[in-house]
Amino acid sequence: MSSTPHPPAGPTDSAFLRAARGEPVPHTPVWFMRQAGRSLPEYLRLREGVGMLESCMDPALTVEITLQPVRRYGVDAAIFFSDIVLPLKAVGVDLDIKPGVGPVVAEPVRTLADVEAIPDLTPDQVPFTTESVRTLVAELGATPLIGFAGAPFTVASYLVEGGPSKEHARTKAMMFGAPDVWDALMRKIAGISAAYLEVQVAAGASAVQLFDSWAGALTPADYAEHVMPHSARVLARAGELGVPRIHFGVGTSNLLTLMGEAGADVVGVDWRTPLADAIPRVGGRGVQGNLDPTLVFAPTEVMTARAAEVIEAGRAARGHVFNLGHGVIPSTDPDQLKRLTEFVQSYPL
Ligand code: CP3
């Protein structure tokens, strides 16, 4: 035995970070959006009688829930267990996450005074995040941890609507009709999201994902004028930390170029846009995605045949991180995700 022990291998050379940086990989790295959560029986057991936000503020629970899918599937990255509205809760916005509904805000934001009443985020408001990330990074060893935040438009939708929305009508009414309030709100959220990413990276997260899940509701011109500059500020601040940045939205086929230009190293693509179409649009950036999340309900050989098509298409990109085209559907059979993970990781490149 050597008397000078080697430090444990870190995540720097992991397939996930190599792909995110556009470097050659030993296999296509794979993780799943919403891999931690309701599809896992061990998650449901832990969460019995514990509120969603409560579990995000309890380091022991956060660490365990984040590790569960890594243990079960052997995925190439962990995603930090939290929520896009958690930092708002931390600064004092009165909100809750209702089971089966999503984030609900007690007093929706409508005026400049409402925006100005929201404090900025400082690291001392999320000590549980720092503690959880530090513990996780130590436990994960060579497996990278992805930190995340909500992008200004998607977070604004919850704040302005007061809850989940299909049309984002009030949000867009503010964007079109009250540009000063909109600008103030976007700046406020951008600052909070950037600060939340900084806390996670400072504590050891080795990549970040900015979720603009509902940006697909916008035309390219409206996105470019009213949303992109604010997301770009969040991504620029994350870029200064030296970690790869993934930028994801749903239904964003016509926004992929702009989402890349906003400052992403990797652009997340939902399942509606074939990767072969998406790759030329992201302008030399990497891509992440994009198997239809319902394919896990198909026979295994149908699922894996479609996964193979995604991997083959991904070869044309600067880097490809395999994922579903959106989050894991709660009724997903974990054994099927395990088979999918093994298939992707053993697919010859
Ligand atoms: O991916 C992961 O496993 C990490 C954890 C994570 C959660 N939310 C946990 C969660 C992440 C990355 C998010 C991000 C998030 N939250 C987004 C962007 C990603 C996306 O799916 O587009 C959005 C839009 C939200 C807002 C939100 N929070 C929604 C729409 C919901 C689901 C509502 C429902 O129950 O159908 C939540 C709640 C939530 N966030 C759950 C989990 C595990 C379910 C809570 C529960 O089990 O009680």
Side-chain angles (χ1 to χ4, degrees):
M1 236 171 62
S2 162
S3 57
T4 46
H6 292 285
T12 313
D13 264 331
S14 62
F16 169 78
L17 286 177
R18 293 185 66 87
R21 293 190 300 251
E23 296 165 6
V25 286
H27 64 266
T28 301
V30 49
W31 70 281
F32 304 111
M33 292 183 278
R34 300 265 176 109
Q35 65 190 15
R38 293 168 299 171
S39 61
L40 290 180
E42 58 269 37
Y43 168 81
L44 294 173
R45 275 197 297 278
L46 266 188
R47 279 285 319 283
E48 266 170 37
V50 188
M52 174 64 193
L53 288 167
E54 206 185 317
S55 62
C56 297
M57 297 184 195
D58 177 331
L61 279 178
T62 300
V63 167
E64 175 57 22
I65 293 169
T66 303
L67 292 174
Q68 282 176 343
V70 179
R71 270 189 221 120
R72 197 187 250 266
Y73 305 130
V75 278
D76 290 279
I79 175 102
F80 185 58
F81 183 77
S82 184
D83 195 85
I84 58 168
V85 297
L86 187 275
L88 296 175
K89 179 76 179 176
V91 301
V93 175
D94 186 359
L95 64 86
D96 198 6
I97 296 182
K98 298 234 152 75
V101 178
V104 177
V105 177
E107 290 168 38
V109 171
R110 301 283 159 76
T111 66
L112 198 54
D114 294 341
V115 176
E116 284 166 353
I118 303 172
D120 292 326
L121 180 72
T122 54
D124 57 290
Q125 288 163 317
V126 285
F128 43 84
T129 300
T130 298
E131 184 185 337
S132 301
V133 171
R134 280 195 186 137
T135 309
L136 276 165
V137 169
E139 297 259 330
L140 282 163
T143 303
L145 177 70
I146 306 170
F148 75 92
F153 177 77
T154 292
V155 175
S157 173
Y158 289 101
L159 277 177
V160 176
E161 308 290 337
S165 161
K166 279 206 178 69
E167 316 292 348
H168 313 283
R170 282 179 181 274
T171 312
K172 288 162 82 173
M174 181 190 284
M175 186 178 91
F176 294 128
D180 53 332
V181 183
W182 179 254
D183 190 71
L185 178 59
M186 296 307 264
R187 284 175 190 278
K188 174 64 69 178
I189 301 169
I192 290 174
S193 288
Y196 190 54
L197 291 178
E198 282 168 359
V199 165
Q200 296 170 74
V201 174
S206 44
V208 296
Q209 177 155 329
L210 189 67
F211 281 96
D212 209 352
S213 300
W214 315 140
L218 298 163
T219 67
D222 289 330
Y223 177 79
E225 183 178 350
H226 301 292
V227 172
M228 183 178 166
H230 304 286
S231 295
R233 268 206 311 284
V234 181
L235 290 162
R237 276 178 64 176
E240 285 165 19
L241 309 173
V243 294
R245 300 152 299 172
I246 307 166
H247 193 186
F248 170 77
V250 182
T252 51
S253 189
N254 59 354
L255 301 180
L256 291 172
T257 303
L258 294 171
M259 289 180 72
E261 286 171 2
D265 301 286
V266 175
V267 179
V269 183
D270 88 355
W271 71 95
R272 296 171 184 86
T273 309
L275 282 190
D277 296 343
I279 289 165
R281 290 181 210 173
V282 301
R285 294 176 173 81
V287 291
Q288 176 174 278
N290 73 344
L291 190 73
D292 184 332
T294 65
L295 269 160
V296 300
F297 303 109
T300 302
E301 58 282 9
V302 175
M303 171 183 76
T304 53
R306 294 286 291 270
E309 289 174 19
V310 170
I311 297 168
E312 289 294 339
R315 289 176 189 271
R318 176 165 185 271
H320 176 217
V321 176
F322 190 96
N323 207 310
L324 302 176
H326 197 185
V328 173
I329 295 167
S331 55
T332 297
D333 172 8
D335 291 340
Q336 190 74 327
L337 277 189
K338 170 89 179 148
R339 290 189 278 270
L340 179 58
T341 306
E342 285 169 354
F343 178 80
V344 175
Q345 290 173 337
S346 61
Y347 191 89
L349 285 184

